[in-house]
Amino acid sequence: MQLNQGNIDTAYQVVSVDLPETDKRHLANLGIAIGREVKVVSKTKGSAIIMLRGSRLALDQSILARVGIAPVEETFETLPLSELAVGEHAVVVAIHALAEAKRRLMDMGITRHTQVYLRKVAPLGDPIEINLRGYELTLRKSEAQLISVKRLKETDL
């Protein structure tokens, strides 16, 4: 299947890129490489917007028709942010807080698909310090328990 045939909000894995070598390199620099996960966010007749590694990218049909994809089974394990080990990277999957608390966390930059790095944990385990979006943020452990994340492997960074 080609990327232009992909369904909206379905995760796919890139299996082939049928373009000249210079174009392949350019797409790889943008994040479209064999083995990477992509998701079609929206489609029009001549183009589509895809999500990869937390960034959106608009592509036209000439490229979409030359990128081969295969469906990805959503079989990743989620865990609370508070259970990450120091030095681990993760991506935010969901925030399970109620109205005002959720809005506050989102205002601090914690949104879905945001990459976070657990930098420090206080000696008694509360609070924790994370890096995200180029800055450091300290959260209470009770707040971190409300944030579901997916661990990233070294190859996903």
Side-chain angles (χ1 to χ4, degrees), residues 81-150:
L81 177 59
S82 59
E83 292 183 16
L84 274 183
V86 173
E88 283 189 310
H89 291 267
V91 172
V92 176
V93 175
I95 301 172
H96 303 289
L98 298 177
E100 293 159 10
K102 183 174 184 175
R103 176 87 262 149
R104 191 171 139 279
L105 291 169
M106 291 175 70
D107 287 344
M108 289 188 281
I110 301 172
T111 57
R112 287 184 64 217
H113 307 294
T114 300
Q115 187 172 333
V116 297
Y117 170 73
L118 184 60
R119 186 160 177 249
K120 293 188 227 179
V121 176
L124 297 176
D126 195 14
I128 67 170
E129 185 175 302
I130 60 173
N131 282 18
L132 72 152
R133 300 181 186 265
Y135 70 95
E136 296 164 354
L137 176 66
T138 302
L139 294 172
R140 294 182 188 106
K141 193 170 186 177
S142 61
E143 294 170 327
Q145 289 172 336
L146 299 173
I147 302 167
S148 291
V149 296
K150 174 180 96 170

